[in-house]
Amino acid sequence: MVRLLQASLVTLSLLAAGCGGGSPGRLEGSAARIYGGACASSTGEEVTIYSGRTENLIEPVLDAFACETGIGVAVRWGDSNQLALLISE
């Protein structure tokens, strides 16, 4: 459980940094190829994603979503069994 919390905090930090960097309010790297527009202002809303996929494959998609919509993304990474148990709780 601690590992999931740490992964969520790291992911949220990366999402917050994703709209910073070179051009203010724009993504960089793989996420910029998915969404090249300016980042929206935060809506104050957040969605939680449960993902059993590799972080480096899914994270750019989530970064692009957060940037385009202004909706924060919290991610719970794990294998399918761990995530099924977590969801059932």
Side-chain angles (χ1 to χ4, degrees):
M1 188 64 152
V2 172
R3 186 176 141 208
L4 289 173
L5 180 58
Q6 289 171 335
S8 295
L9 291 175
V10 168
T11 301
L12 288 175
S13 296
L14 290 172
L15 285 172
C19 286
S23 301
R26 294 201 179 269
L27 293 169
E28 295 178 348
S30 298
R33 288 192 295 273
I34 297 168
Y35 176 70
C39 292
S41 298
S42 174
T43 64
E45 298 175 306
E46 182 177 88
V47 63
T48 300
I49 304 294
Y50 294 82
S51 177
R53 299 288 183 182
T54 306
E55 289 180 45
N56 65 339
L57 296 176
I58 301 302
E59 201 162 50
V61 175
L62 300 177
D63 289 347
F65 170 83
C67 179
E68 183 176 2
T69 65
I71 298 171
V73 179
V75 183
R76 302 289 177 112
W77 304 102
D79 66 34
S80 296
N81 291 332
Q82 290 173 330
L83 294 174
L85 289 172
L86 185 60
I87 291 170
S88 71
E89 288 180 2

